[in-house]
Amino acid sequence: MRASANRIALAAAGREARLEGTVRITASVAMALHHLPPIIARIRADEPAIQIELVPSDGSSNLLFREADIAVRMYRPRQLDLVTTHLGDIELGLFGATGYLDRRGRPAQQDELLEHDFVGYDVNPAILDGFRAAGFALSREWFATRCDDHAAYWELVRAGCGLGFAQASVGRACPCVEEIRVGLELPSLPVWLTAHETMRRTPRIRRVWEMLAEGLAPVIA
């Protein structure tokens, strides 16, 4: 019954023809913090009749149940009835605070990385899996500082808790950190715009979709 009611609500919402109303956007914490605010400011300036709700979350809001109208995700959703567009990929980099590097030295090759402190994830296995794929047999406890929240994680790196990973454009724009280039191959983050196919045709959502794609273009390859 819930699914049937939701399909009716989606169909009714998708017939709205006015370029006004609310658009709810969900995005990762890092994307919402570093990239979306100026884009949303541009949307508000150009389309003052459109209101924006931003939901920073590293979880998966269900577009089929109107938990969000548009999702900016780092993976391709596989649900049916969704429209997805791959905007490109975001480069990752390895960074350390200048104060930390002054104190501990700057690694010149990969083997020297093991002599340094690292900020790792707490529950998320992504960083640990990446190190293992690169040939470093590490355990979770090797990371002396651990945090899954991406905003707090980056602040720990900036504060000098150890080396850590970030979107390259974010790290290179920060004056208090330095990029560590030792030939470590890092994966990129794919960026996907996603919306329910019915809602995607709604003028206000189509307009916000277009402005998100345009605004994100400078930070993706």
PDB file of all heavy atoms in Angstrom, residues 14-41:
ATOM      1  N   GLY A  14       5.160  14.907 -10.358  1.00  0.00           N
ATOM      2  CA  GLY A  14       5.849  15.026 -11.627  1.00  0.00           C
ATOM      3  C   GLY A  14       5.099  15.854 -12.650  1.00  0.00           C
ATOM      4  O   GLY A  14       5.678  16.289 -13.642  1.00  0.00           O
ATOM      5  N   ARG A  15       3.799  16.104 -12.417  1.00  0.00           N
ATOM      6  CA  ARG A  15       3.003  16.903 -13.351  1.00  0.00           C
ATOM      7  C   ARG A  15       3.049  18.395 -13.020  1.00  0.00           C
ATOM      8  O   ARG A  15       2.477  19.196 -13.748  1.00  0.00           O
ATOM      9  CB  ARG A  15       1.556  16.404 -13.342  1.00  0.00           C
ATOM     10  CG  ARG A  15       1.373  15.045 -14.017  1.00  0.00           C
ATOM     11  CD  ARG A  15      -0.094  14.767 -14.277  1.00  0.00           C
ATOM     12  NE  ARG A  15      -0.831  14.603 -13.043  1.00  0.00           N
ATOM     13  CZ  ARG A  15      -1.027  13.431 -12.443  1.00  0.00           C
ATOM     14  NH1 ARG A  15      -0.507  12.326 -12.960  1.00  0.00           N
ATOM     15  NH2 ARG A  15      -1.740  13.346 -11.320  1.00  0.00           N
ATOM     16  N   GLU A  16       3.722  18.777 -11.922  1.00  0.00           N
ATOM     17  CA  GLU A  16       3.820  20.186 -11.571  1.00  0.00           C
ATOM     18  C   GLU A  16       4.606  20.930 -12.639  1.00  0.00           C
ATOM     19  O   GLU A  16       5.702  20.535 -12.996  1.00  0.00           O
ATOM     20  CB  GLU A  16       4.492  20.345 -10.205  1.00  0.00           C
ATOM     21  CG  GLU A  16       3.686  19.735  -9.062  1.00  0.00           C
ATOM     22  CD  GLU A  16       4.398  19.877  -7.739  1.00  0.00           C
ATOM     23  OE1 GLU A  16       5.423  20.587  -7.684  1.00  0.00           O
ATOM     24  OE2 GLU A  16       3.941  19.269  -6.757  1.00  0.00           O
ATOM     25  N   ALA A  17       4.063  22.002 -13.154  1.00  0.00           N
ATOM     26  CA  ALA A  17       4.660  22.691 -14.301  1.00  0.00           C
ATOM     27  C   ALA A  17       5.351  23.999 -13.934  1.00  0.00           C
ATOM     28  O   ALA A  17       6.004  24.600 -14.772  1.00  0.00           O
ATOM     29  CB  ALA A  17       3.573  22.963 -15.357  1.00  0.00           C
ATOM     30  N   ARG A  18       5.222  24.440 -12.690  1.00  0.00           N
ATOM     31  CA  ARG A  18       5.775  25.736 -12.322  1.00  0.00           C
ATOM     32  C   ARG A  18       7.248  25.624 -11.919  1.00  0.00           C
ATOM     33  O   ARG A  18       7.659  24.635 -11.323  1.00  0.00           O
ATOM     34  CB  ARG A  18       4.973  26.330 -11.173  1.00  0.00           C
ATOM     35  CG  ARG A  18       3.525  26.655 -11.533  1.00  0.00           C
ATOM     36  CD  ARG A  18       2.751  27.053 -10.309  1.00  0.00           C
ATOM     37  NE  ARG A  18       2.696  25.957  -9.331  1.00  0.00           N
ATOM     38  CZ  ARG A  18       2.111  26.060  -8.136  1.00  0.00           C
ATOM     39  NH1 ARG A  18       1.553  27.201  -7.779  1.00  0.00           N
ATOM     40  NH2 ARG A  18       2.092  25.029  -7.321  1.00  0.00           N
ATOM     41  N   LEU A  19       8.015  26.650 -12.240  1.00  0.00           N
ATOM     42  CA  LEU A  19       9.423  26.690 -11.883  1.00  0.00           C
ATOM     43  C   LEU A  19       9.552  27.324 -10.500  1.00  0.00           C
ATOM     44  O   LEU A  19      10.174  28.369 -10.318  1.00  0.00           O
ATOM     45  CB  LEU A  19      10.225  27.484 -12.922  1.00  0.00           C
ATOM     46  CG  LEU A  19      11.751  27.319 -12.893  1.00  0.00           C
ATOM     47  CD1 LEU A  19      12.121  25.873 -13.149  1.00  0.00           C
ATOM     48  CD2 LEU A  19      12.389  28.230 -13.911  1.00  0.00           C
ATOM     49  N   GLU A  20       8.919  26.678  -9.520  1.00  0.00           N
ATOM     50  CA  GLU A  20       8.957  27.169  -8.147  1.00  0.00           C
ATOM     51  C   GLU A  20       8.676  26.009  -7.214  1.00  0.00           C
ATOM     52  O   GLU A  20       8.233  24.934  -7.633  1.00  0.00           O
ATOM     53  CB  GLU A  20       7.920  28.278  -7.942  1.00  0.00           C
ATOM     54  CG  GLU A  20       6.496  27.817  -8.157  1.00  0.00           C
ATOM     55  CD  GLU A  20       5.491  28.945  -7.970  1.00  0.00           C
ATOM     56  OE1 GLU A  20       5.717  30.038  -8.516  1.00  0.00           O
ATOM     57  OE2 GLU A  20       4.468  28.721  -7.280  1.00  0.00           O
ATOM     58  N   GLY A  21       8.950  26.231  -5.937  1.00  0.00           N
ATOM     59  CA  GLY A  21       8.729  25.183  -4.954  1.00  0.00           C
ATOM     60  C   GLY A  21      10.036  24.727  -4.330  1.00  0.00           C
ATOM     61  O   GLY A  21      11.080  25.370  -4.482  1.00  0.00           O
ATOM     62  N   THR A  22       9.989  23.606  -3.627  1.00  0.00           N
ATOM     63  CA  THR A  22      11.131  23.103  -2.870  1.00  0.00           C
ATOM     64  C   THR A  22      11.783  21.931  -3.588  1.00  0.00           C
ATOM     65  O   THR A  22      11.095  21.056  -4.122  1.00  0.00           O
ATOM     66  CB  THR A  22      10.685  22.655  -1.463  1.00  0.00           C
ATOM     67  OG1 THR A  22      10.132  23.776  -0.769  1.00  0.00           O
ATOM     68  CG2 THR A  22      11.864  22.096  -0.677  1.00  0.00           C
ATOM     69  N   VAL A  23      13.120  21.942  -3.603  1.00  0.00           N
ATOM     70  CA  VAL A  23      13.889  20.810  -4.111  1.00  0.00           C
ATOM     71  C   VAL A  23      14.799  20.340  -2.986  1.00  0.00           C
ATOM     72  O   VAL A  23      15.584  21.114  -2.439  1.00  0.00           O
ATOM     73  CB  VAL A  23      14.731  21.187  -5.346  1.00  0.00           C
ATOM     74  CG1 VAL A  23      15.573  19.992  -5.792  1.00  0.00           C
ATOM     75  CG2 VAL A  23      13.830  21.648  -6.483  1.00  0.00           C
ATOM     76  N   ARG A  24      14.686  19.083  -2.642  1.00  0.00           N
ATOM     77  CA  ARG A  24      15.459  18.485  -1.545  1.00  0.00           C
ATOM     78  C   ARG A  24      16.635  17.711  -2.144  1.00  0.00           C
ATOM     79  O   ARG A  24      16.439  16.774  -2.922  1.00  0.00           O
ATOM     80  CB  ARG A  24      14.563  17.577  -0.718  1.00  0.00           C
ATOM     81  CG  ARG A  24      15.174  17.033   0.580  1.00  0.00           C
ATOM     82  CD  ARG A  24      14.094  16.303   1.365  1.00  0.00           C
ATOM     83  NE  ARG A  24      14.594  15.693   2.570  1.00  0.00           N
ATOM     84  CZ  ARG A  24      14.680  16.313   3.754  1.00  0.00           C
ATOM     85  NH1 ARG A  24      14.318  17.583   3.836  1.00  0.00           N
ATOM     86  NH2 ARG A  24      15.126  15.680   4.823  1.00  0.00           N
ATOM     87  N   ILE A  25      17.849  18.117  -1.758  1.00  0.00           N
ATOM     88  CA  ILE A  25      19.067  17.504  -2.293  1.00  0.00           C
ATOM     89  C   ILE A  25      19.775  16.747  -1.183  1.00  0.00           C
ATOM     90  O   ILE A  25      19.992  17.288  -0.089  1.00  0.00           O
ATOM     91  CB  ILE A  25      20.031  18.580  -2.847  1.00  0.00           C
ATOM     92  CG1 ILE A  25      19.357  19.423  -3.919  1.00  0.00           C
ATOM     93  CG2 ILE A  25      21.298  17.933  -3.400  1.00  0.00           C
ATOM     94  CD1 ILE A  25      20.158  20.665  -4.307  1.00  0.00           C
ATOM     95  N   THR A  26      20.143  15.518  -1.435  1.00  0.00           N
ATOM     96  CA  THR A  26      20.985  14.779  -0.502  1.00  0.00           C
ATOM     97  C   THR A  26      22.351  14.552  -1.149  1.00  0.00           C
ATOM     98  O   THR A  26      22.451  14.325  -2.356  1.00  0.00           O
ATOM     99  CB  THR A  26      20.351  13.442  -0.080  1.00  0.00           C
ATOM    100  OG1 THR A  26      21.192  12.810   0.898  1.00  0.00           O
ATOM    101  CG2 THR A  26      20.179  12.500  -1.255  1.00  0.00           C
ATOM    102  N   ALA A  27      23.396  14.650  -0.339  1.00  0.00           N
ATOM    103  CA  ALA A  27      24.761  14.490  -0.838  1.00  0.00           C
ATOM    104  C   ALA A  27      25.637  14.025   0.310  1.00  0.00           C
ATOM    105  O   ALA A  27      25.278  14.142   1.488  1.00  0.00           O
ATOM    106  CB  ALA A  27      25.299  15.813  -1.400  1.00  0.00           C
ATOM    107  N   SER A  28      26.803  13.489  -0.030  1.00  0.00           N
ATOM    108  CA  SER A  28      27.736  13.084   1.011  1.00  0.00           C
ATOM    109  C   SER A  28      28.116  14.287   1.863  1.00  0.00           C
ATOM    110  O   SER A  28      27.990  15.444   1.441  1.00  0.00           O
ATOM    111  CB  SER A  28      28.994  12.468   0.383  1.00  0.00           C
ATOM    112  OG  SER A  28      29.763  13.476  -0.263  1.00  0.00           O
ATOM    113  N   VAL A  29      28.595  14.025   3.069  1.00  0.00           N
ATOM    114  CA  VAL A  29      28.989  15.104   3.973  1.00  0.00           C
ATOM    115  C   VAL A  29      30.068  15.966   3.328  1.00  0.00           C
ATOM    116  O   VAL A  29      30.008  17.200   3.364  1.00  0.00           O
ATOM    117  CB  VAL A  29      29.470  14.526   5.313  1.00  0.00           C
ATOM    118  CG1 VAL A  29      30.085  15.620   6.187  1.00  0.00           C
ATOM    119  CG2 VAL A  29      28.316  13.851   6.046  1.00  0.00           C
ATOM    120  N   ALA A  30      31.076  15.328   2.732  1.00  0.00           N
ATOM    121  CA  ALA A  30      32.170  16.082   2.118  1.00  0.00           C
ATOM    122  C   ALA A  30      31.677  16.926   0.950  1.00  0.00           C
ATOM    123  O   ALA A  30      32.067  18.096   0.798  1.00  0.00           O
ATOM    124  CB  ALA A  30      33.271  15.126   1.659  1.00  0.00           C
ATOM    125  N   MET A  31      30.815  16.370   0.115  1.00  0.00           N
ATOM    126  CA  MET A  31      30.282  17.118  -1.017  1.00  0.00           C
ATOM    127  C   MET A  31      29.440  18.296  -0.538  1.00  0.00           C
ATOM    128  O   MET A  31      29.539  19.417  -1.060  1.00  0.00           O
ATOM    129  CB  MET A  31      29.444  16.187  -1.897  1.00  0.00           C
ATOM    130  CG  MET A  31      28.821  16.835  -3.114  1.00  0.00           C
ATOM    131  SD  MET A  31      30.037  17.380  -4.337  1.00  0.00           S
ATOM    132  CE  MET A  31      30.594  15.785  -4.979  1.00  0.00           C
ATOM    133  N   ALA A  32      28.603  18.050   0.478  1.00  0.00           N
ATOM    134  CA  ALA A  32      27.741  19.102   1.001  1.00  0.00           C
ATOM    135  C   ALA A  32      28.553  20.213   1.656  1.00  0.00           C
ATOM    136  O   ALA A  32      28.173  21.387   1.607  1.00  0.00           O
ATOM    137  CB  ALA A  32      26.750  18.512   2.000  1.00  0.00           C
ATOM    138  N   LEU A  33      29.666  19.869   2.255  1.00  0.00           N
ATOM    139  CA  LEU A  33      30.480  20.855   2.962  1.00  0.00           C
ATOM    140  C   LEU A  33      31.348  21.675   2.014  1.00  0.00           C
ATOM    141  O   LEU A  33      31.417  22.905   2.121  1.00  0.00           O
ATOM    142  CB  LEU A  33      31.369  20.147   3.987  1.00  0.00           C
ATOM    143  CG  LEU A  33      32.363  21.016   4.754  1.00  0.00           C
ATOM    144  CD1 LEU A  33      31.623  22.026   5.624  1.00  0.00           C
ATOM    145  CD2 LEU A  33      33.293  20.149   5.601  1.00  0.00           C
ATOM    146  N   HIS A  34      32.003  21.003   1.073  1.00  0.00           N
ATOM    147  CA  HIS A  34      33.044  21.664   0.290  1.00  0.00           C
ATOM    148  C   HIS A  34      32.575  22.207  -1.061  1.00  0.00           C
ATOM    149  O   HIS A  34      33.167  23.164  -1.570  1.00  0.00           O
ATOM    150  CB  HIS A  34      34.209  20.695   0.051  1.00  0.00           C
ATOM    151  CG  HIS A  34      34.902  20.266   1.301  1.00  0.00           C
ATOM    152  ND1 HIS A  34      35.599  21.137   2.103  1.00  0.00           N
ATOM    153  CD2 HIS A  34      35.002  19.047   1.890  1.00  0.00           C
ATOM    154  CE1 HIS A  34      36.114  20.486   3.127  1.00  0.00           C
ATOM    155  NE2 HIS A  34      35.753  19.221   3.030  1.00  0.00           N
ATOM    156  N   HIS A  35      31.562  21.623  -1.661  1.00  0.00           N
ATOM    157  CA  HIS A  35      31.237  21.971  -3.044  1.00  0.00           C
ATOM    158  C   HIS A  35      29.845  22.551  -3.266  1.00  0.00           C
ATOM    159  O   HIS A  35      29.664  23.393  -4.150  1.00  0.00           O
ATOM    160  CB  HIS A  35      31.418  20.742  -3.945  1.00  0.00           C
ATOM    161  CG  HIS A  35      32.788  20.151  -3.901  1.00  0.00           C
ATOM    162  ND1 HIS A  35      33.932  20.880  -4.168  1.00  0.00           N
ATOM    163  CD2 HIS A  35      33.208  18.882  -3.614  1.00  0.00           C
ATOM    164  CE1 HIS A  35      34.996  20.101  -4.059  1.00  0.00           C
ATOM    165  NE2 HIS A  35      34.580  18.892  -3.719  1.00  0.00           N
ATOM    166  N   LEU A  36      28.864  22.095  -2.514  1.00  0.00           N
ATOM    167  CA  LEU A  36      27.491  22.481  -2.833  1.00  0.00           C
ATOM    168  C   LEU A  36      27.079  23.882  -2.372  1.00  0.00           C
ATOM    169  O   LEU A  36      26.236  24.508  -3.033  1.00  0.00           O
ATOM    170  CB  LEU A  36      26.511  21.444  -2.271  1.00  0.00           C
ATOM    171  CG  LEU A  36      26.545  20.069  -2.941  1.00  0.00           C
ATOM    172  CD1 LEU A  36      25.375  19.223  -2.456  1.00  0.00           C
ATOM    173  CD2 LEU A  36      26.538  20.174  -4.454  1.00  0.00           C
ATOM    174  N   PRO A  37      27.599  24.423  -1.255  1.00  0.00           N
ATOM    175  CA  PRO A  37      27.113  25.753  -0.826  1.00  0.00           C
ATOM    176  C   PRO A  37      27.179  26.837  -1.894  1.00  0.00           C
ATOM    177  O   PRO A  37      26.177  27.543  -2.104  1.00  0.00           O
ATOM    178  CB  PRO A  37      28.004  26.064   0.387  1.00  0.00           C
ATOM    179  CG  PRO A  37      28.271  24.715   0.983  1.00  0.00           C
ATOM    180  CD  PRO A  37      28.465  23.817  -0.213  1.00  0.00           C
ATOM    181  N   PRO A  38      28.305  27.036  -2.624  1.00  0.00           N
ATOM    182  CA  PRO A  38      28.285  28.090  -3.648  1.00  0.00           C
ATOM    183  C   PRO A  38      27.348  27.777  -4.811  1.00  0.00           C
ATOM    184  O   PRO A  38      26.797  28.696  -5.432  1.00  0.00           O
ATOM    185  CB  PRO A  38      29.747  28.163  -4.112  1.00  0.00           C
ATOM    186  CG  PRO A  38      30.353  26.855  -3.733  1.00  0.00           C
ATOM    187  CD  PRO A  38      29.644  26.431  -2.485  1.00  0.00           C
ATOM    188  N   ILE A  39      27.150  26.499  -5.099  1.00  0.00           N
ATOM    189  CA  ILE A  39      26.224  26.133  -6.175  1.00  0.00           C
ATOM    190  C   ILE A  39      24.797  26.455  -5.750  1.00  0.00           C
ATOM    191  O   ILE A  39      23.996  26.993  -6.532  1.00  0.00           O
ATOM    192  CB  ILE A  39      26.370  24.642  -6.534  1.00  0.00           C
ATOM    193  CG1 ILE A  39      27.793  24.341  -7.011  1.00  0.00           C
ATOM    194  CG2 ILE A  39      25.342  24.234  -7.597  1.00  0.00           C
ATOM    195  CD1 ILE A  39      28.059  22.865  -7.244  1.00  0.00           C
ATOM    196  N   ILE A  40      24.469  26.137  -4.507  1.00  0.00           N
ATOM    197  CA  ILE A  40      23.125  26.432  -4.006  1.00  0.00           C
ATOM    198  C   ILE A  40      22.899  27.939  -3.944  1.00  0.00           C
ATOM    199  O   ILE A  40      21.799  28.431  -4.248  1.00  0.00           O
ATOM    200  CB  ILE A  40      22.919  25.768  -2.632  1.00  0.00           C
ATOM    201  CG1 ILE A  40      22.874  24.239  -2.809  1.00  0.00           C
ATOM    202  CG2 ILE A  40      21.636  26.263  -1.964  1.00  0.00           C
ATOM    203  CD1 ILE A  40      22.856  23.472  -1.513  1.00  0.00           C
ATOM    204  N   ALA A  41      23.930  28.690  -3.586  1.00  0.00           N
ATOM    205  CA  ALA A  41      23.804  30.151  -3.581  1.00  0.00           C
ATOM    206  C   ALA A  41      23.494  30.676  -4.984  1.00  0.00           C
ATOM    207  O   ALA A  41      22.699  31.603  -5.150  1.00  0.00           O
ATOM    208  CB  ALA A  41      25.082  30.780  -3.038  1.00  0.00           C
TER     209      ALA A  41
END
